[in-house]
């Protein structure tokens, strides 16, 4: 009998946390519309507001500043717009500046025309080039509107942590707005929108043990807000119309609560497992290249190149051995292409890279099995320079 499949693709999506599963199952009996004033509606509304408080605690934010969306992509498209309001007064955003390693949901520029977007280079270490950012903002045409800068806190492929506090100081010095994609950071780093100096922060439910189909745009205040993306009945204080996905939102809140409660224990355990994994990988293939290993990464991510093994070939090989991992971001309908992150870091994307990402349910036995599979695949690869 074949061993059970091994899931090592937590950055793509996380299995439901038991706390979130229980919350969703209980919520299935709450059938009222949360915007109705009768008792059934008020019961669901109370559950949604509890989830809002739970997510706010995770983000270090005020619950009044949490806007539920269908996910991080919608949140990005909502906030990345040249049309804002300061209270009732229209406020123009003249240019969007985003780092070269951003997720496609940000790289596409949201509602900004292409000519109003500018890429910020990163260093060979994969972190934002702060000098380049300062130069770009110093040259920004202030007559066109304020500059907006979008930088992810943790890269979804490499796990590299960006120097958000330093980015925020530069953005603030030039009177700009800062949007932080914290999707891969939630549950893996302590979040605090105010301490980060961010004006807006994006998080996603299914990356931290909650259901798919919901996320949040978190704001530092309530005065400066983007033009709504979805118009209608005025839910979410008029910022995002449409009846809330109560089941997913309630599960999201429960997953956020678990991430806060288990933070220290979870990250200590996952960090030890990641170190065990990388030690085993280097032992089996000393020429393996692990990106970001010399810098600051989140505890759960290993992004690596095995010379002589193409990313697509490697992903299939691991899958045939019963191991689920990925070749970078899981956002392109299953396609395996060149990594824009490796390109931005000055690496040869044709080498290909694979990502192993761990989570709260990963065990030592699973890591040892992953090392064994890695060693098997490494042993049968083509010599570097030959087609794999």
């Amino acid at each position: 009998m074949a061993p059970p499949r091994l899931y090592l693709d937590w950055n793509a999506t996380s299995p439901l946390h038991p706390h979130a599963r229980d919350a969703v199952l209980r919520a299935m009996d709450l059938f009222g519309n949360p915007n109705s004033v009768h008792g059934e509606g008020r019961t669901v509304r109370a559950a949604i507001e509890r989830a809002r408080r739970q997510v706010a605690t995770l983000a270090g934010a005020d619950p009044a500043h949490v806007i539920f969306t269908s996910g991080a992509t919608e949140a990005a498209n909502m906030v990345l717009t040249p049309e804002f309001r300061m209270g009732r007064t229209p406020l123009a955003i003249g240019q969007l500046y985003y780092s070269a390693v951003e997720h496609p949901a940000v790289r596409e520029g949201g509602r900004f025309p292409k000519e109003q977007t500018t890429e910020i280079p990163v260093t060979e270490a994969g972190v934002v080039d702060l000098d380049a950012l300062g130069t770009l903002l110093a040259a920004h045409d202030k007559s066109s509107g304020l500059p907006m800068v979008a930088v992810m806190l943790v890269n979804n492929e490499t796990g590299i942590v960006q120097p958000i506090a330093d980015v925020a100081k530069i953005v603030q010095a030039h009177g700009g707005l800062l949007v932080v994609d914290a999707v891969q950071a939630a549950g893996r780093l302590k979040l605090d929108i105010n301490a980060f100096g961010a004006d807006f922060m994006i998080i996603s439910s299914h990356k931290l043990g909650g259901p798919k189909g919901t996320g949040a745009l978190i704001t530092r205040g309530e005065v400066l807000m983007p033009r709504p993306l979805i118009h209608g009945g005025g839910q979410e204080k008029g910022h995002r119309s449409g009846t809330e996905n109560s089941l997913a939102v309630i599960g999201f809140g429960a997953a956020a609560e678990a991430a806060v409660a288990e933070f220290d224990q979870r990250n200590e355990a996952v960090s030890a497992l990641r170190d065990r994994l990388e030690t085993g990988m280097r032992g089996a293939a000393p020429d393996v290249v692990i990106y970001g290993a010399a810098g600051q990464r989140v505890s759960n991510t290993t992004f690596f190149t095995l010379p002589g093994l193409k990313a697509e070939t490697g992903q299939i090989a691991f899958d045939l051995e019963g191991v689920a991992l990925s070749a970078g971001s899981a956002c392109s309908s299953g396609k395996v292409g060149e990594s824009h992150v490796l390109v931005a870091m000055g690496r040869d994307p044709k080498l290909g890279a694979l990502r192993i990402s761990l989570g709260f349910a990963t065990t030592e036995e699973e890591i040892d099995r992953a090392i064994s599979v890695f060693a098997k695949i490494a042993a049968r690869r083509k010599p570097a320079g030959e087609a794999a």
Side-chain angles (χ1 to χ4, degrees):
M1 179 182 293
R5 286 186 60 80
L6 173 54
Y7 187 74
L8 297 177
D9 199 15
W10 289 67
N11 284 8
T13 194
S14 165
L16 271 179
H17 189 283
H19 191 47
R21 182 187 296 275
D22 291 345
V24 170
L25 290 174
R26 291 193 301 271
M28 285 182 175
D29 292 326
L30 306 179
F31 57 84
N33 187 314
N35 303 294
S36 298
V37 297
H38 48 57
E40 289 80 0
R42 294 197 306 273
T43 298
V44 180
R45 172 54 57 192
I48 288 176
E49 295 310 314
R50 181 171 187 265
R52 200 183 307 276
R53 293 191 296 273
Q54 291 166 325
V55 171
T57 298
L58 174 71
D62 186 322
H65 301 162
V66 174
I67 303 165
F68 287 120
T69 66
S70 66
T73 295
E74 183 194 321
N77 279 268
M78 178 181 174
V79 72
L80 301 181
T81 175
E83 298 181 68
F84 269 70
R85 299 190 74 86
M86 179 73 77
R88 296 185 178 182
T89 304
L91 180 70
I93 308 299
Q95 193 81 6
L96 169 65
Y97 302 87
Y98 61 86
S99 86
V101 295
E102 293 301 302
H103 187 279
V106 171
R107 284 171 57 83
E108 287 297 312
R111 291 182 275 174
F112 280 93
K114 199 64 180 175
E115 62 271 17
Q116 283 183 250
T117 65
T118 301
E119 186 175 274
I120 311 162
V122 298
T123 68
E124 290 183 359
V127 299
V128 173
D129 186 327
L130 298 175
D131 291 337
L133 172 61
T135 299
L136 285 169
L137 294 185
H140 174 76
D141 179 8
K142 295 181 176 59
S143 67
S144 67
L146 299 179
M148 173 181 282
V149 175
V151 174
M152 60 191 352
L153 181 52
V154 170
N155 185 261
N156 53 304
E157 294 190 13
T158 62
I160 290 170
V161 179
Q162 296 293 338
I164 287 298
D166 295 330
V167 170
K169 289 177 183 176
I170 295 171
V171 174
Q172 290 166 1
H174 291 88
L177 302 180
L178 177 59
V179 177
V180 173
D181 169 0
V183 168
Q184 296 293 347
R188 296 164 189 156
L189 294 176
K190 297 276 190 179
L191 302 182
D192 188 324
I193 187 170
N194 295 297
F196 291 161
D199 296 285
F200 301 93
M201 190 160 68
I202 298 167
I203 58 176
S204 175
S205 167
H206 76 100
K207 303 292 189 177
L208 54 89
K212 300 174 184 65
T214 189
L217 175 65
I218 300 164
T219 71
R220 190 156 52 154
E222 294 183 277
V223 177
L224 180 65
M225 293 298 296
R227 181 173 66 85
L229 176 65
I230 299 177
H231 301 268
Q235 288 86 352
E236 296 297 295
K237 294 186 178 179
H239 301 305
R240 198 276 185 184
S241 293
T243 301
E244 293 88 346
N245 183 353
S246 57
L247 288 180
V249 164
I250 291 167
F252 183 13
E257 182 176 70
V260 171
E262 300 169 2
F263 182 86
D264 292 331
Q265 176 185 0
R266 185 188 297 185
N267 281 279
E268 181 178 351
V270 169
S271 180
L273 291 175
R274 202 269 307 274
D275 291 346
R276 184 186 186 99
L277 171 69
E278 293 184 355
T279 298
M281 290 170 64
R282 291 190 178 100
D287 59 340
V288 67
V289 178
I290 299 176
Y291 299 101
Q296 185 182 2
R297 291 179 294 163
V298 284
S299 61
N300 81 313
T301 304
T302 298
F303 191 52
F304 67 95
T305 289
L306 197 54
L309 183 71
K310 290 182 179 179
E312 186 170 10
T313 304
Q315 188 171 16
I316 293 170
F318 275 96
D319 191 52
L320 290 174
E321 294 288 344
V323 179
L325 47 67
S326 69
S329 175
C331 59
S332 304
S333 302
K335 295 180 290 184
V336 177
E338 293 185 352
S339 166
H340 72 277
V341 175
L342 290 182
V343 172
M345 293 169 65
R347 308 288 184 132
D348 181 1
K350 291 184 174 58
L351 292 174
L354 296 171
R355 181 186 69 192
I356 291 176
S357 47
L358 317 179
F360 54 76
T362 308
T363 66
E364 280 192 4
E365 291 75 20
E366 289 176 326
I367 292 300
D368 290 343
R369 182 178 158 203
I371 294 169
S372 177
V373 171
F374 173 87
K376 181 178 179 180
I377 292 171
R380 67 184 187 220
R381 63 189 154 137
K382 299 287 185 180
E386 292 186 19

